[in-house]
């Protein structure tokens, strides 16, 4: 009751607060928000929930378990209030510990290590796992700083003070019955006197002290930004993936590498005829296919010509991304209906066909942060390009893309993330585009490629897309409010409003079309903003909503009355059976090909991530040191029997270490895997096997270190066979812990929710282990 409930709060809160802390550091620099104001705002905003959760927990636990047995209602009521007070204080004190750990270390991995160490120290100081009579003198003082110790005192007083349990011997005066007396039980646990006031006041003092410390540390360290660079990571990758010529020679031999990019490939054009997309709202009572559907796209007529840069524009919710997903074949028909036809070079195309001839760049850049730009492309080339291409041809393809997307200067710089500086946001976006361009697609789709970029970086990205389209690739992207220079780069505009087309044509004819309806774009106005504003409905008040709604309906009627004239002969040089050059088509690499590549890539990425690789070993070693400090060498008396049971239980809780390590490591890989699976680079089986092969040696090492540090110094059962069995159990426990984390990582998306679900499962298994009952 005392330890498991706070443990759930600790891990989940550290995950969330470590992310919120970075936002406060930014706000402090921009808005000069004081650490005390930030901490108090978090305390008071979370106070209702911090009171509600432990109160509900107390109400359920106290009465269902029967923490106190008494016929006196006053005694029961008072005991319940004390019990609830302890649970509330444990909850808010754990929150204070969380902010203290995050203020000291900021990173989730380091803060979690510190938090677990504090929980370990406090729980071992209570005398529940290791008897107080055997605690070393030099650490016995820690019990006075342990909030678990003071909370444990109150709970023990509630349970055993003035309580006599049923003695199996009929004579109450028999010495055997002494052990059934509450006072004797308290004395055996190291509590000779009962006092509720001192531990309750000390609990408040510890909580307040942690808040003061966390505010002081936040105030002192808040300005320091963790913007370290990793020079060792800026070198090229594995020797097998390095090219034999340097950057200057590659620039000189650019023409030599153009034979792949200039390979004759058919140009592709798309034609959409009366396309609609409806999402079905099914329920238990209504399973009709067409009933209660949400109309996302309606009556879309448009064309995308070969070698053009086409922009899908419109306000939020207009259907840009839905149309982009529909064109790329990434919409499932399980809960949706798709109407109309999509023709590719005059032939009707299905979802599988569209996926085979196109590449898709998602809005978020899912890249491995510890790999360099060249390594990212090299590994992607090994996975995505066919085995018929030689290593030299794949390397040449990577060099072509580095030159084409202006990435040569940062080729040997790591990608980077929030914790380590790498390339810029615009360069990350270009790397994502380069990964998709490896297979030389004839259709390239991008979901808002300029989101999150400054105006100059956005202009560079669109200029590169324009250059790609001039090489014969049909480029289609959704975009939101581009600047004037970017708008002029688009060859074709498809303007959407409420899922319908209000304009489709060149970027020059759009001015004439809107002017003919009385909407003239002035010379000094951003045309993208002007046209998008005309397509939106203003819902701020009824009058503006009615006016803007009528305007949008007029635009829809006007365009519906003058459908675009489609070129029926667009791109008829390609047949449906041969959409792209077979040697560059995207396909899933077989397991025996993908597995060694994934193992090599994951090993490099993990080795360069000290907060993942090193923290695991530190967490294991720190926990082993804690056990050594408290338990020391076990004897053979009555106290040692209790301590042996305590040490075995403490060893079994290493499953929590595996859970935390699994969540921290797997979340880095998961989103990248989802993108590669969508691109059919490799199979799910190959990914999980490679992940296990990379992670398993770390588990072997950490379990071995823990076993050696704990087993022999504490004097557990002697013998190499017993030690081997102990080591195998510890290894299995850690692996099972990470397996639990992987299961919930696959179920839930949010890392905090994953951690909470995993630890709830862990607590259930602990309760069912037989140690507590």
């Amino acid at each position: 009751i005392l330890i498991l409930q706070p443990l759930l709060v600790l891990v989940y809160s550290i995950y969330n607060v470590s992310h919120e802390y970075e936002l406060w550091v930014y706000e402090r620099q921009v808005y000069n928000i004081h650490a005390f104001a930030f901490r108090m705002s978090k305390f008071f905003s979370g106070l209702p929930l911090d009171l509600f959760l432990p109160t509900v927990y107390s109400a359920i636990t106290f009465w269902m378990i029967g923490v106190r047995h008494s016929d006196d209602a006053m005694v029961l009521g008072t005991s319940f209030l004390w019990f609830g007070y302890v649970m509330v204080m444990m909850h808010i004190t754990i929150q204070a510990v969380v902010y203290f750990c995050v203020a000291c270390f900021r990173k989730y991995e380091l803060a979690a290590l510190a938090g677990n160490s504090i929980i370990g120290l406090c729980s071992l100081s209570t005398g529940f796992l290791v008897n107080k009579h055997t605690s070393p003198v030099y650490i016995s003082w820690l019990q006075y700083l342990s909030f678990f110790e003071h909370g444990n005192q109150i709970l023990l007083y509630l349970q055993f003070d003035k309580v006599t349990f049923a003695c199996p011997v009929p004579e109450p005066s028999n010495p055997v019955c002494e052990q059934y007396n509450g006072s004797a039980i308290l004395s055996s646990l190291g509590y000779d006197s009962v006092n509720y006031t001192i531990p309750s006041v000390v609990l408040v003092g510890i909580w307040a002290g942690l808040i003061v410390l966390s505010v002081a540390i936040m105030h002192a360290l808040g300005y320091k930004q963790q913007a370290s660079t990793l020079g060792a990571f800026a070198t090229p990758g594995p020797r097998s993936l390095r090219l034999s010529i340097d950057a200057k020679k590659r620039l000189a031999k650019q023409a030599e590498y153009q034979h792949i990019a200039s390979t004759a490939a058919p140009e592709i054009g798309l034609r959409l005829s009366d396309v609609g997309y409806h999402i079905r709202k099914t329920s238990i009572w209504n399973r009709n296919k067409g009933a209660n559907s949400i109309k996302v796209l309606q009556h879309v007529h448009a064309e995308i010509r070969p070698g053009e840069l086409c922009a899908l524009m419109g306000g939020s919710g207009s259907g840009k991304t839905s149309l982009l997903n529909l064109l790329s074949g990434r919409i499932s028909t399980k809960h949706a209906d798709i109407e109309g036809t999509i023709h590719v070079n005059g032939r009707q195309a299905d979802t599988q066909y569209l996926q085979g001839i196109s590449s898709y760049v998602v809005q978020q850049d899912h890249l491995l942060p510890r790999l360099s730009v060249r390594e990212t492309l090299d590994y992607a080339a090994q996975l995505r390009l066919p085995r018929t291409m030689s290593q030299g041809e794949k390397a040449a393809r990577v060099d072509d893309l580095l030159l084409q997307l202006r990435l040569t200067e940062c080729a040997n710089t790591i990608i980077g993330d929030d914790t380590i500086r790498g390339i810029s946001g615009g360069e990350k976006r270009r790397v994502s585009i380069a990964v998709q361009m490896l297979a030389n697609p004839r259709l390239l789709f991008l979901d808002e490629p300029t989101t999150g970029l400054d105006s100059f970086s956005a202009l560079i990205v669109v200029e590169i897309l324009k250059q790609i389209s001039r090489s014969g690739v049909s480029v289609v992207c959704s975009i939101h409010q581009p600047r004037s220079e970017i708008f002029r780069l688009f060859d074709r505009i498809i303007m959407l409003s409420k899922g319908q087309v209000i304009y489709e044509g060149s970027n020059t004819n759009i001015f004439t079309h809107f002017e003919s309806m009385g909407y003239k774009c002035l010379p000094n106005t951003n045309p993208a903003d002007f046209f998008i504003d005309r397509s939106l409905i203003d819902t701020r008040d009824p009058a503006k909503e009615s006016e803007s709604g009528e305007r949008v309906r007029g635009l829809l009627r006007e365009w519906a009355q003058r459908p675009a004239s489609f070129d029926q002969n667009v791109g008829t040089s390609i047949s449906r059976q041969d959409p792209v050059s077979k040697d560059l088509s995207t396909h899933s690499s077989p397991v025996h090909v993908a597995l060694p590549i994934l193992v090599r890539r994951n090993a490099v990425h993990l080795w360069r991530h000290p907060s993942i690789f090193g923290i695991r070993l530190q967490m294991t070693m720190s926990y082993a040191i804690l056990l050594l400090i408290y338990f020391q060498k076990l004897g053979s008396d009555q106290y040692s029997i209790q301590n042996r049971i305590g040490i075995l239980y403490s060893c079994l809780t290493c499953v929590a270490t595996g859970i935390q390590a699994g969540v921290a490591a797997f979340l880095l890989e998961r989103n990248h895997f989802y993108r590669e699976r969508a691109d059919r680079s490799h199979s799910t089986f190959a990914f999980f096997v490679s992940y296990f092969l990379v992670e398993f040696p770390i588990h072997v090492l950490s379990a071995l270190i823990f076993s050696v540090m704990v087993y022999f110094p504490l004097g557990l059962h002697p013998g190499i066979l017993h030690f081997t069995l102990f080591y195998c159990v510890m290894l299995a426990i850690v692996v099972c812990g990470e397996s639990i984390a992987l299961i919930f990582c696959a179920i839930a998306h949010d890392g905090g929710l994953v951690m909470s679900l995993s630890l709830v499962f862990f607590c259930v298994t602990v309760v069912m282990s037989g140690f507590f009952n």
Side-chain angles (χ1 to χ4, degrees):
I1 291 175
L2 188 69
I3 298 176
L4 294 182
Q5 189 261 353
L7 181 62
L8 294 175
V9 178
L10 173 80
V11 180
Y12 176 76
S13 298
I14 286 181
Y15 184 87
N16 286 335
V17 173
S18 61
H19 290 78
E20 294 175 354
Y21 186 84
E22 299 299 329
L23 177 61
W24 171 76
V25 171
Y26 168 77
E27 289 179 339
R28 174 170 183 171
Q29 294 180 347
V30 177
Y31 306 113
N32 198 26
I33 297 178
H34 197 274
F36 180 78
F38 169 77
R39 182 65 187 92
M40 288 299 98
S41 66
K42 287 297 180 182
F43 171 73
F44 286 111
S45 63
L47 186 60
L49 191 62
D50 291 339
L51 293 177
F52 174 76
L53 291 178
T55 301
V56 173
Y57 179 83
S58 302
I60 296 175
T61 306
F62 184 87
W63 302 108
M64 290 188 65
I65 295 178
V67 174
R68 178 78 181 200
H69 295 280
S70 177
D71 296 330
D72 190 342
M74 182 62 69
V75 173
L76 284 177
T78 304
S79 300
F80 173 72
L81 291 178
W82 276 113
F83 185 86
Y85 168 78
V86 172
M87 292 298 103
V88 170
M89 289 306 302
M90 289 296 104
H91 191 93
I92 63 175
T93 305
I94 284 293
Q95 295 284 6
V97 171
V98 167
Y99 279 94
F100 172 75
C101 295
V102 174
C104 291
F105 300 101
R106 295 183 60 172
K107 286 185 179 182
Y108 164 73
E109 297 85 0
L110 293 173
L113 173 62
N116 287 329
S117 299
I118 292 175
I119 292 295
L121 279 171
C122 293
S123 61
L124 290 174
S125 300
T126 61
F128 181 69
L129 298 176
V130 53
N131 195 283
K132 286 188 175 182
H133 295 89
T134 62
S135 297
V137 177
Y138 55 85
I139 61 169
S140 60
W141 59 271
L142 288 174
Q143 63 180 314
Y144 302 109
L145 300 178
S146 170
F147 50 92
F148 279 158
E149 161 65 16
H150 301 289
N152 189 43
Q153 285 187 40
I154 299 176
L155 294 184
L156 289 174
Y157 295 158
L158 292 177
Q159 180 64 41
F160 298 110
D161 183 31
K162 299 178 182 179
V163 175
T164 301
F165 296 90
C167 179
V169 180
E171 298 81 5
S173 59
N174 193 308
V176 177
C177 294
E178 181 66 21
Q179 59 183 320
Y180 293 91
N181 184 274
S183 299
I185 296 174
L186 289 174
S187 178
S188 67
L189 295 174
Y191 303 100
D192 297 323
S193 61
V194 177
N195 190 321
Y196 289 90
T197 305
I198 294 178
S200 61
V201 173
V202 173
L203 273 178
V204 177
I206 292 175
W207 166 73
L210 286 170
I211 289 182
V212 173
L213 280 176
S214 62
V215 170
I217 295 172
M218 290 170 64
H219 181 75
L221 304 180
Y223 283 111
K224 293 184 178 180
Q225 295 292 326
Q226 194 162 354
S228 61
T229 56
L230 215 51
F233 293 173
T235 59
R239 182 177 299 273
S240 60
L241 294 177
R242 297 181 187 177
L243 301 181
S244 59
I245 54 177
D246 58 19
K248 293 183 179 180
K249 291 183 178 180
R250 280 196 288 276
L251 290 173
K253 293 187 177 183
Q254 177 179 2
E256 180 182 346
Y257 292 144
Q258 293 296 328
H259 66 279
I260 295 180
S262 61
T263 301
E267 296 183 348
I268 290 179
L270 297 179
R271 186 173 73 250
L272 287 72
S273 303
D274 198 24
V275 171
Y277 170 47
H278 303 162
I279 299 177
R280 297 192 300 271
K281 296 192 297 183
T282 59
S283 63
I284 298 176
W285 300 274
N286 188 0
R287 294 182 176 272
N288 294 331
K289 184 175 181 179
N292 300 324
S293 61
I294 301 174
K295 297 181 179 180
V296 181
L297 298 172
Q298 304 179 64
H299 310 297
V300 176
H301 294 270
E303 72 172 359
I304 299 168
R305 295 177 179 176
E308 284 190 345
L309 176 58
C310 177
L312 304 181
M313 297 177 59
S316 299
S318 60
K320 304 186 298 295
T321 301
S322 297
L323 180 58
L324 195 72
N325 293 336
L326 184 65
L327 291 174
S328 60
R330 290 179 177 245
I331 287 183
S332 173
T333 58
K334 183 177 181 180
H335 299 291
D337 297 320
I338 299 177
E339 301 173 348
T341 57
I342 300 177
H343 291 81
V344 177
N345 291 2
R347 294 177 177 270
Q348 186 171 345
D350 55 15
T351 299
Q352 185 176 2
Y353 178 70
L354 290 171
Q355 291 177 350
I357 63 173
S358 65
S359 291
Y360 191 101
V361 180
V362 297
Q363 187 172 344
Q364 299 294 328
D365 298 312
H366 297 305
L367 304 169
L368 294 178
R370 304 291 169 147
L371 297 182
S372 68
V373 173
R374 181 178 298 280
E375 289 172 337
T376 300
L377 295 180
D378 281 336
Y379 285 120
Q382 301 299 318
L383 291 170
R384 297 170 65 91
L385 296 180
R387 287 175 291 169
T388 55
M389 294 181 64
S390 65
Q391 293 295 325
E393 290 176 322
K394 293 178 180 178
R397 180 60 180 160
V398 170
D399 277 1
D400 286 340
L401 290 173
L402 290 174
L403 291 170
Q404 186 179 11
L405 276 75
R406 309 177 194 177
L407 294 171
T408 52
E409 293 185 359
C410 62
N412 295 327
T413 305
I414 63 170
I415 300 296
D417 56 11
D418 296 336
T419 61
I420 183 171
R421 182 178 298 169
I423 60 178
S424 66
E427 289 168 334
K428 288 181 182 178
R429 192 59 47 85
R430 281 180 269 159
V431 173
S432 297
I433 296 173
V435 170
Q436 298 300 325
M437 288 297 297
L438 277 169
N440 197 23
R442 297 294 88 196
L443 274 173
L444 179 62
F445 297 101
L446 305 97
D447 185 14
E448 299 195 11
T450 60
T451 298
L453 305 181
D454 59 82
S455 58
F456 180 72
S457 299
L459 179 61
I460 292 179
V461 169
V462 178
E463 285 179 345
I464 290 175
L465 295 179
K466 181 78 169 182
Q467 179 185 354
I468 292 173
S469 67
R470 289 295 175 261
S471 65
V473 180
S474 301
V475 181
V476 184
C477 66
S478 61
I479 195 165
H480 187 67
Q481 291 183 319
R483 56 188 282 190
S484 301
E485 292 85 351
I486 293 177
F487 181 83
R488 297 188 186 99
L489 291 175
F490 293 114
D491 300 304
R492 181 166 292 271
I493 304 294
I494 299 178
M495 185 76 66
L496 297 171
S497 178
K498 299 173 62 176
Q500 301 182 59
V501 177
I502 61 173
Y503 175 80
E504 186 271 328
S506 66
N507 65 343
T508 55
N509 292 338
I510 189 173
F511 294 90
T512 305
H513 173 71
F514 275 84
E515 186 174 354
S516 66
M517 299 186 64
Y519 307 114
K520 183 178 180 180
C521 181
L522 299 179
N524 294 328
T525 303
N526 184 346
D529 291 339
F530 178 80
F531 297 132
I532 291 176
D533 289 344
R534 304 286 83 76
S535 67
L536 297 177
I537 297 179
D538 192 345
T539 59
R540 288 177 292 179
D541 58 66
K544 292 182 178 180
E545 183 176 3
S546 176
E547 178 186 355
S548 58
E550 182 59 34
R551 180 183 66 242
V552 171
R553 287 190 290 272
L555 291 173
L556 293 173
R557 285 195 302 269
E558 178 68 19
W559 188 254
Q561 293 172 1
R562 44 181 301 183
S565 58
F566 299 110
D567 184 3
Q568 301 293 335
N569 297 320
V570 171
T572 56
S573 61
I574 183 173
S575 65
R576 183 183 180 190
Q577 288 71 25
D578 188 20
V580 292
S581 179
K582 293 183 180 297
D583 59 341
L584 290 179
S585 59
T586 304
H587 63 284
S588 178
S589 298
V591 175
H592 70 278
V593 174
L595 187 58
I597 300 173
L598 292 174
V599 169
R600 191 163 59 247
R601 184 186 69 181
N602 294 346
V604 170
H605 185 257
L606 181 63
W607 179 256
R608 293 178 179 177
H609 209 303
S611 60
I612 298 296
F613 178 75
I615 294 300
R616 294 189 185 188
L617 300 181
Q618 294 179 27
M619 190 177 298
T620 301
M621 295 172 65
S622 63
Y623 189 49
I625 292 173
L626 281 178
L627 297 181
L628 289 176
I629 292 175
Y630 273 92
F631 287 93
Q632 295 191 359
K633 195 166 185 68
L634 299 174
S636 56
D637 55 5
Q638 181 65 33
Y639 293 140
S640 296
I641 295 175
Q642 176 187 347
N643 291 348
R644 286 180 185 272
I645 297 175
I647 187 64
L648 293 178
Y649 165 77
S650 300
C651 293
L652 291 177
T653 57
C654 286
V655 66
T657 304
I659 290 175
Q660 289 183 324
V663 172
F666 188 75
L667 288 181
L668 292 174
E669 308 277 353
R670 185 186 61 181
N671 292 334
H672 189 261
F673 158 70
Y674 284 156
R675 180 184 64 80
E676 290 188 328
R677 187 183 65 176
D679 296 336
R680 295 167 297 168
S681 297
H682 53 77
S683 64
T684 304
F685 178 78
F687 168 76
F688 274 97
V689 172
S690 66
Y691 180 85
F692 175 78
L693 292 177
V694 172
E695 294 288 322
F696 187 72
I698 302 178
H699 295 321
V700 171
L701 180 60
S702 62
L704 180 61
I705 292 175
F706 180 84
S707 300
V708 172
M709 291 182 64
V710 169
Y711 196 89
F712 296 110
L714 291 182
L716 295 176
H717 200 298
I720 190 64
L721 177 60
H722 294 91
F723 169 77
T724 303
L725 293 175
F726 179 85
Y727 166 68
C728 291
V729 171
M730 296 308 305
L731 177 60
I733 285 174
V734 176
V735 173
C736 287
E738 179 155 8
S739 300
I740 293 171
L742 297 188
I743 291 174
F744 288 107
C745 281
I747 295 175
H749 181 75
D750 180 70
L753 180 59
V754 170
M755 191 67 73
S756 296
L757 293 175
S758 301
L759 287 176
V760 167
F761 183 85
F762 161 70
C763 290
V764 171
T765 58
V766 168
V767 173
M768 297 175 62
S769 64
F771 179 77
F772 295 103
N773 59 348

